[in-house]
Amino acid sequence: MEQTLTSRPSSTIAAIATAPGTSAIAIIRISGPEAIQILQRVWQGMPVEKMLDRTLHLGYIIGPDHEQIDQVLISIMRAPGTYTGEDTVEISCHGSRWIQRAILDTLMTAGAQMAGPGEFTKRAFINGRLDLATAEGVADMIAASSRASQRLAMTQMKGDYSRRLNKLRDDLIQLAALLELELDFSEEDVEFASREKIQELATNLRNEITRLLQSYKYGSVLKEGIPTAIIGATNAGKSSLLNCLIGDDRAIVSDIHGTTRDSIEETLEIEDYLFRFIDTAGLRQTTDTIERIGIQRAYDIASNARIILHITDATSITKEITPALPEEINNLVEDTTEESSKPTIIHILNKSDLLPLNVQDNNTSPLPHNTIYISAKTGYGIPRLKELLVESMKGQIDDRQEITVTNARHSQALQQALTSIERTITGINQDQTIDLITQDMRETIHHLGTITGAVTTPDILQSIFTHFCIGK
């Protein structure tokens, strides 16, 4: 039965909490008002009522035919001090697929229901064990693909982000309440809330929301992988560089010009960051229709990249080294109005193995900023390239110091909150009536509340928790 947002679930759920497949150990989790009673129906070992919370006990799970299915370890955690806020049992069994399924089927026969995606965390939210933003931090922690994304998820999961939003929202609620109180005494011309204080709070809130929104363009790429476009002329070595970075022959390498006609994408974790490398079609004048489509895609990819690796054949340079982006790419970069949104450009002089040693070792003349010699064939210069990639991200954001938005839903809610708080500021400046100002403040409060779950709907919960894995 579908639960309301405020009612506590009446069913008891069970699911395999470990990854699918065969393993040494698997964990099956039970949660709900009858979790302990269901265990008693299938357990052979120490009496359940004598077990202390969070202690391990060895025994057997007994099937419907009264045969022992497996020797297991169990741990009981009684409500309310559990992850879900409900009585919870965890069964550590052998990781055979058959054993896992047999135990789960036995629990279903004993009265449990199969848990849906994210249902354990959803119950933790419904039972007040965590708020919605923290629950989404749990999902991000599970999906973290780099140290940077793990740190961001940890900040959200620990509740730092929610506490910041709740503080802003609570301050706004207090002032809105005072303004509404003035409406009750409108005939007496009294002022319960200083207009200067409201103006100050609204301005501070606008600035904070703006900062959080600006952090999203970095937080989203740290979470999903930093888009890094590899661009350059045909046969400069773009595909060879991709293969060298990931250590695999992912892209076709050929002396024939225009081999790469579509983008090829691979990810690689370097130190704290996950980079999404995108090999693109070689840039040149061509009449080939398919190749021209690939070249246009290269421009589109470069326009959305946080880092552009501009690769040049070092043997083709005959004059002083002054790497320059192709005109079309340079125009895309220059057209980016916000300085903070401009991509980092790293100029790569490839095929250094074909140059004299004193040239590739930079003994003849210093290279311009963010310009390096490499050999995608021998691996020369690749360690330094990786250092430059990491340095470029550290220069753009310090992911350990500030709260950073990584969630598209949060970004949308913050944008709506920004719009309404700006209307509040405008209303105060224009000396609008209290009811109009209060309405704008209430809208801001509402949008901030949708992030933490203070305001929510079944559709929001369905959208969030269906993306969780079963068993969490």
Side-chain angles (χ1 to χ4, degrees):
M1 181 179 294
E2 183 72 19
Q3 298 290 335
T4 66
L5 295 183
T6 55
S7 65
R8 292 180 179 272
S10 58
S11 61
T12 296
I13 56 174
I16 300 170
T18 43
T22 302
S23 60
I25 297 293
I27 296 175
I28 297 173
R29 179 178 292 160
I30 316 169
S31 179
E34 293 190 14
I36 296 175
Q37 292 90 323
I38 288 172
L39 173 66
Q40 286 176 319
R41 295 166 194 158
V42 302
W43 170 250
Q44 185 181 79
M46 175 187 283
V48 171
E49 61 272 14
K50 294 183 178 180
M51 295 180 184
L52 300 177
D53 277 19
R54 293 173 175 78
T55 56
L56 291 174
H57 302 274
L58 185 66
Y60 296 91
I61 297 295
I62 306 301
D65 55 1
H66 304 294
E67 289 189 6
Q68 295 174 344
I69 296 175
D70 189 24
Q71 187 178 47
V72 302
L73 285 172
I74 66 161
S75 176
I76 291 177
M77 292 157 277
R78 294 177 174 85
T82 66
Y83 178 72
T84 60
E86 304 172 328
D87 285 345
T88 301
V89 175
E90 288 193 352
I91 303 171
S92 297
C93 63
H94 291 94
S96 153
R97 289 173 181 264
W98 185 89
I99 289 174
Q100 294 178 56
R101 175 51 56 188
I103 293 176
L104 195 59
D105 288 346
T106 298
L107 295 175
M108 300 297 109
T109 302
Q113 296 181 13
M114 184 64 192
E119 192 168 355
F120 290 93
T121 305
K122 183 177 179 180
R123 290 187 176 209
F125 166 70
I126 292 173
N127 293 328
R129 297 294 294 170
L130 42 77
D131 63 31
L132 207 52
T134 304
E136 288 169 297
V138 172
D140 288 347
M141 179 65 80
I142 295 170
S145 54
S146 68
R147 191 174 184 180
S149 58
Q150 175 268 335
R151 283 170 172 161
L152 293 178
M154 180 63 78
T155 298
Q156 188 168 326
M157 196 175 74
K158 291 194 309 183
D160 295 353
Y161 178 39
S162 296
R163 281 189 287 274
R164 177 83 65 91
L165 291 176
N166 286 333
K167 175 64 168 61
L168 297 171
R169 189 170 177 271
D170 289 345
D171 290 345
L172 204 55
I173 288 173
Q174 291 180 16
L175 283 178
L178 290 175
L179 280 176
E180 290 174 343
L181 189 60
E182 287 185 20
L183 289 173
D184 296 335
F185 293 89
S186 57
E187 295 181 0
E188 302 182 24
D189 193 27
V190 293
E191 183 178 282
F192 289 95
S194 164
R195 298 302 180 266
E196 290 77 14
K197 186 175 181 180
I198 296 173
Q199 179 78 290
E200 179 184 1
L201 176 65
T203 301
N204 290 340
L205 183 57
R206 179 188 62 188
N207 294 341
E208 178 66 7
I209 292 174
T210 300
R211 193 204 68 75
L212 289 172
L213 280 170
Q214 289 174 341
S215 76
Y216 176 66
K217 62 176 173 283
Y218 298 114
S220 60
V221 300
L222 288 178
K223 178 180 176 181
E224 299 166 7
I226 302 154
T228 306
I230 305 174
I231 63 105
T234 56
N235 276 18
K238 299 182 300 300
S239 297
S240 296
L241 174 60
L242 177 67
N243 290 342
C244 182
L245 284 166
I246 66 173
D248 191 16
D249 292 334
R250 177 66 175 84
I252 297 174
V253 176
S254 170
D255 292 334
I256 302 172
H257 288 268
T259 303
T260 303
R261 298 192 171 198
D262 203 351
S263 60
I264 300 174
E265 185 173 318
E266 286 291 338
T267 58
L268 177 66
E269 185 179 356
I270 305 175
E271 292 191 23
D272 291 356
Y273 305 99
L274 183 71
F275 291 88
R276 204 155 41 87
F277 292 103
I278 312 165
D279 179 23
T280 63
L283 306 180
R284 66 167 179 166
Q285 295 297 323
T286 181
T287 58
D288 187 296
T289 302
I290 301 301
E291 189 177 356
R292 288 173 65 182
I293 293 173
I295 291 170
Q296 182 56 53
R297 287 187 180 180
Y299 295 146
D300 295 339
I301 290 167
S303 67
N304 293 306
R306 290 305 312 164
I307 301 173
I308 293 177
L309 302 182
H310 173 225
I311 188 164
T312 304
D313 183 345
T315 64
S316 66
I317 299 175
T318 57
K319 299 181 180 180
E320 182 181 352
I321 300 172
T322 53
L325 286 174
E327 183 179 356
E328 296 86 351
I329 302 293
N330 187 65
N331 290 339
L332 290 173
V333 174
E334 293 302 320
D335 287 344
T336 305
T337 54
E338 291 186 30
E339 193 64 32
S340 62
S341 296
K342 291 183 183 295
T344 297
I345 313 296
I346 299 177
H347 296 282
I348 298 172
L349 307 177
N350 190 29
K351 304 183 183 180
S352 66
D353 53 299
L354 302 178
L355 300 176
L357 288 177
N358 66 325
V359 174
Q360 64 172 299
D361 288 338
N362 304 335
N363 292 331
T364 54
S365 61
L367 292 175
H369 177 66
N370 269 11
T371 302
I372 61 169
Y373 280 112
I374 73 158
S375 170
K377 180 178 180 180
T378 67
Y380 173 84
I382 297 300
R384 176 55 185 155
L385 173 58
K386 291 180 178 180
E387 289 176 2
L388 287 176
L389 288 167
V390 171
E391 289 170 7
S392 70
M393 285 312 299
K394 286 182 177 178
Q396 292 184 48
I397 183 170
D398 185 344
D399 54 281
R400 288 165 292 183
Q401 299 299 324
E402 289 290 345
I403 290 175
T404 304
V405 177
T406 63
N407 189 298
R409 185 183 74 84
H410 299 177
S411 176
Q412 182 181 20
L414 287 168
Q415 186 59 63
Q416 293 170 324
L418 180 62
T419 299
S420 54
I421 199 63
E422 285 178 338
R423 285 202 307 267
T424 300
I425 295 172
T426 300
I428 295 171
N429 290 337
Q430 295 179 353
D431 200 24
Q432 291 181 357
T433 58
I434 293 175
D435 56 334
L436 291 178
I437 295 173
T438 303
Q439 176 60 31
D440 291 330
M441 293 175 71
R442 287 294 177 189
E443 284 190 25
T444 306
I445 292 166
H446 171 84
H447 294 310
L448 292 178
T450 62
I451 297 176
T452 60
V455 177
T456 192
T457 66
D459 289 341
I460 290 177
L461 296 185
Q462 178 72 7
S463 173
I464 291 171
F465 289 108
T466 52
H467 291 90
F468 276 66
C469 53
I470 293 176
K472 189 56 181 175

